[in-house]
Amino acid sequence: MNKKAIISTVNNTILNLKVSAKKKEGVRRKLVITAKRQESVWRKLAATAKEKENARRKKLVVTAEKLAVTAAKLVATAKEKELVRRRLAVTAEKLAATAKEKELVRRRLAITAEKLVVTAATLAVTADELSATAAKLAVIAKEKEIVRRKLAVTAAKLKESYEKLEKKVLERTKDLEMARVKEEAILLSIGDGVAVVDETGKLVFFNKIASDILGTDANQGLPDTWQKRYGVFDPISLKPLATDQIPFTLAFKGQSVSKMPLFIRNPQVPNGKFISVTATPIFLGGKSIGGVAIFRDMTEEKEVDKAKTEFVSLASHQLRTPLSTVNWYAEMLLAGDVGALNEKQKKYLDEVYRSNQRMVELVNALLDVSSLELGTFAIEPKPTDIIKLTQSVIDEQKPQITVKRMKFSFSSGKNITLIQADPKLLRMVVQNILSNAVKYTPEGGEIKLSISLADKKNILLEVSDTGYGIPKNQQDKIFTKLFRADNVRDKDTDGTGLGLYIVKSIVEKSGGKIWFHSSGEVAGVRASRGADGKENKGTTFYVTLPLVGMKKSVTGVK
């Protein structure tokens, strides 16, 4: 195609485009005019819609106000109707109550009428019975007259019999009086003191020995009660005994007391005396009417015991020094400080060392006992954590517990505070009781230790085991010096028999109590069996200590 043709084509195309553009611009202007017309119509329609909406709202408001007025009128009408209904209901209830009352009165009148009819019939019967009774009384009067005459004859015979009986009673009274005089002479001649009290505690008899022992003047008569006349004290702590702890009081309750040691003091015996009392209740018709007590003066024996204790204390002090020396040299030899030893020499020397240790323990125990009995055991109380102290004692015993494969448990209650106690004495108490449980329980046994509050004033230590137990016929001796039960002597030869005596002395001098229970079962747990297959009895020890703690004593435990 030549150049001119191309230019011609282009020019034609440009002309066509300009024509198309003019057409489009015309169409656009028409569309704009149409849009403006439509916008004017829309605005007119919107104004019309607003007017209609405003008119509709005004009509609705008027209608709502009319409905509210109508509703208020209906509510007022309903309230008036409810008030009328309630008044009618009250009137109906009153009418019903009146009807019931009338019916009740009618029934009561009917019952009263029936009772009156029955009463009339009863009175008629009673009149007949009275008439018959009058006839019977006349017959009885005649019979009584006959009986009176017979009684007069009998009375004459009884008078004669009474006179004879009175003569026999006089003769018998003389015999009884002689017997009583003989019995009093026997009682007065008995070598021990004898005293009798009635159910009120008043002394009604005592012999010469009792008068000498108790410091009672026979010329004063016997007007006072036992509690008023004598100061009665514990022979160890020298604390006054409560009324319910005195032998006569126990006898009134039906309990026999055998050889109970006491310390008494009164104006006639200002320095006091140690006595042993055996009291027995007097029963009449199954009821205690008094008590009989036999006294024995133990003052001289106490002085002898004191001298023995002082001797033991002196001897123990003298023995401690050479024993400590032997112990020291044995330790040096075993440690090889003076040369090596062969196995045989070590064996024999180790036996010497262990035997010497047992002797040291025995001497220390004897010194503790002597100090307790002589009152030279000083107490230095301070705030002590009994839980921590007990745990340290348990740690000391753990090797033995592990070797014997025992089940061991320790529990402590909440809110257990520090107590004023001498840690040394408190440790002796816990250590002795726990070591006994470990020592006298066979392999595979069980030991339980607990600390709790017994009450608001006391703390309770409880140690139970499934060991060999304590024979019943020896339980009353378990807290005495140098005593060891028969069933454990062949099982352990190292015991001194002083541990529980020391524990009891410390506990009681601290204001506490110690006791035990030994039977086939412990705290509801079936007794264990030892290596020999036999059932073990088991023992539980209980110790209470006051929360206020021990009192300080420089000169000794008092």
Side-chain angles (χ1 to χ4, degrees):
M1 184 177 290
N2 57 26
K3 188 175 181 182
K4 289 181 179 181
I6 292 169
I7 291 170
S8 177
T9 304
V10 170
N11 289 330
N12 289 333
T13 302
I14 291 169
L15 287 172
N16 290 333
L17 288 171
K18 286 181 178 180
V19 172
S20 297
K22 286 180 179 181
K23 288 180 180 179
K24 287 181 178 178
E25 177 64 21
V27 172
R28 187 187 66 76
R29 288 176 178 173
K30 288 178 181 180
L31 289 171
V32 168
I33 292 168
T34 304
K36 286 180 178 180
R37 289 175 180 172
Q38 286 180 349
E39 184 179 358
S40 176
V41 172
W42 175 80
R43 286 179 178 173
K44 289 179 181 179
L45 290 171
T48 304
K50 276 186 178 181
E51 290 175 358
K52 289 181 179 180
E53 178 65 19
N54 289 334
R56 186 182 67 78
R57 287 182 177 178
K58 287 179 180 179
K59 288 180 181 180
L60 287 174
V61 168
V62 172
T63 305
E65 289 175 352
K66 290 179 180 179
L67 288 172
V69 172
T70 304
K73 289 179 180 180
L74 289 172
V75 168
T77 304
K79 287 183 177 178
E80 289 175 358
K81 287 182 178 180
E82 176 64 18
L83 183 60
V84 171
R85 186 189 65 75
R86 289 182 179 175
R87 288 175 180 173
L88 289 172
V90 171
T91 303
E93 288 177 357
K94 288 180 178 178
L95 290 172
T98 303
K100 286 182 180 178
E101 289 176 357
K102 288 181 178 180
E103 177 61 19
L104 184 61
V105 169
R106 187 191 64 77
R107 289 181 180 176
R108 288 177 179 172
L109 289 173
I111 292 168
T112 303
E114 291 175 357
K115 288 181 178 178
L116 288 172
V117 172
V118 173
T119 303
T122 303
L123 289 172
V125 173
T126 302
D128 295 338
E129 289 177 350
L130 288 172
S131 179
T133 302
K136 288 180 181 178
L137 288 173
V139 174
I140 291 169
K142 291 180 181 179
E143 292 176 350
K144 282 185 177 180
E145 178 62 22
I146 295 170
V147 171
R148 187 189 64 76
R149 292 175 182 176
K150 290 180 179 178
L151 286 175
V153 176
T154 305
K157 292 179 179 179
L158 285 173
K159 184 179 180 181
E160 185 180 353
S161 300
Y162 173 77
E163 291 174 351
K164 293 179 180 178
L165 183 61
E166 189 174 12
K167 291 179 180 179
K168 290 182 179 180
V169 168
L170 289 173
E171 293 174 358
R172 182 60 178 166
T173 301
K174 290 179 181 179
D175 294 339
L176 290 174
E177 184 65 21
M178 288 297 296
R180 187 185 66 80
V181 171
K182 288 179 181 178
E183 289 175 356
E184 287 188 0
I186 293 170
L187 290 173
L188 290 170
S189 303
I190 291 176
D192 289 332
V194 179
V196 181
V197 296
D198 61 16
E199 65 273 12
T200 64
K202 183 182 292 185
L203 285 165
V204 294
F205 174 83
F206 60 94
N207 63 0
K208 180 65 170 61
I209 303 298
S211 176
D212 295 339
I213 294 174
L214 302 177
T216 302
D217 188 353
N219 295 325
Q220 291 180 348
L222 301 169
D224 297 334
T225 62
W226 170 267
Q227 292 88 335
K228 288 182 180 179
R229 180 169 287 189
Y230 301 101
V232 186
F233 306 87
D234 181 271
I236 298 176
S237 65
L238 298 183
K239 293 181 179 179
L241 290 180
T243 302
D244 58 357
Q245 295 176 310
I246 295 175
F248 277 130
T249 306
L250 296 173
F252 294 153
K253 296 179 180 179
Q255 301 178 31
S256 294
V257 180
S258 178
K259 298 180 180 179
M260 182 177 181
L262 296 174
F263 181 76
I264 62 167
R265 186 185 291 130
N266 61 31
Q268 284 72 37
V269 190
N271 295 327
K273 283 188 179 182
F274 292 94
I275 63 173
S276 174
V277 183
T278 297
T280 306
I282 301 173
F283 290 104
L284 181 63
K287 181 182 178 182
S288 177
I289 61 169
V292 178
I294 298 176
F295 302 90
R296 198 158 68 86
D297 193 343
M298 304 285 289
T299 306
E300 291 185 5
E301 294 180 21
K302 276 285 182 181
E303 293 295 329
V304 172
D305 283 342
K306 184 178 179 181
K308 289 179 181 177
T309 302
E310 290 173 348
F311 171 76
V312 170
S313 177
L314 178 62
S316 299
H317 273 292
Q318 296 300 320
L319 284 170
R320 179 181 275 182
T321 301
L323 285 173
S324 299
T325 303
V326 171
N327 195 61
W328 182 56
Y329 279 119
E331 286 180 351
M332 289 180 61
L333 290 170
L334 287 170
D337 292 345
V338 293
L341 301 175
N342 59 41
E343 291 299 321
K344 192 172 184 180
Q345 290 171 331
K346 282 185 178 180
K347 179 182 177 182
Y348 289 145
L349 190 57
D350 185 62
E351 185 62 33
V352 170
Y353 177 74
R354 288 192 291 107
S355 297
N356 190 72
Q357 285 291 97
R358 289 197 294 272
M359 283 295 294
V360 171
E361 290 177 4
L362 177 59
V363 168
N364 287 335
L366 288 171
L367 282 171
D368 289 339
V369 170
S370 300
S371 297
L372 287 167
E373 291 182 345
L374 293 172
T376 59
F377 208 118
I379 297 177
E380 292 292 339
K382 61 182 180 180
T384 304
D385 189 333
I386 189 172
I387 305 296
K388 288 184 179 179
L389 186 145
T390 303
Q391 188 61 57
S392 69
V393 175
I394 293 171
D395 293 340
E396 292 175 2
Q397 295 293 325
K398 272 188 177 178
Q400 291 86 344
I401 293 172
T402 303
V403 168
K404 298 180 78 172
R405 301 190 302 280
M406 293 179 178
K407 294 180 182 178
F408 181 83
S409 64
F410 172 54
S411 62
S412 60
K414 297 180 180 178
N415 302 323
I416 296 180
T417 58
L418 301 180
I419 63 172
Q420 284 292 119
D422 189 320
K424 176 183 63 178
L425 298 181
L426 188 58
R427 174 176 285 274
M428 288 173 66
V429 171
V430 179
Q431 192 174 43
N432 272 289
I433 296 176
L434 183 57
S435 64
N436 278 352
V438 174
K439 188 184 296 183
Y440 300 125
T441 299
E443 289 189 11
E446 183 176 2
I447 297 174
K448 294 181 180 179
L449 191 155
S450 68
I451 298 175
S452 60
L453 292 176
D455 49 47
K456 293 181 179 179
K457 296 182 179 180
N458 296 282
I459 205 166
L460 173 65
L461 170 71
E462 183 177 345
V463 180
S464 64
D465 62 57
T466 57
Y468 306 115
I470 304 169
K472 287 186 177 180
N473 62 343
Q474 296 181 333
Q475 290 184 1
D476 59 337
K477 302 176 183 177
I478 199 67
F479 292 114
T480 55
K481 281 188 292 186
L482 302 173
F483 175 78
R484 302 187 69 214
D486 294 338
N487 62 332
V488 297
R489 287 181 183 174
D490 58 340
K491 296 179 176 63
D492 180 76
T493 58
D494 295 339
T496 63
L498 295 171
L500 289 177
Y501 175 79
I502 293 173
V503 168
K504 187 174 188 293
S505 298
I506 294 173
V507 170
E508 290 184 347
K509 290 175 188 294
S510 302
K513 294 180 181 179
I514 181 170
W515 70 99
F516 66 91
H517 170 70
S518 186
S519 64
E521 293 186 356
V522 179
V525 179
R526 188 177 297 277
S528 65
R529 293 185 180 275
D532 56 359
K534 294 182 180 180
E535 189 175 56
N536 298 318
K537 293 182 178 181
T539 303
T540 302
F541 275 88
Y542 306 90
V543 175
T544 61
L545 293 170
L547 289 172
V548 295
M550 305 175 180
K551 294 182 180 179
K552 184 174 181 179
S553 173
V554 178
T555 58
V557 179
K558 296 296 182 184

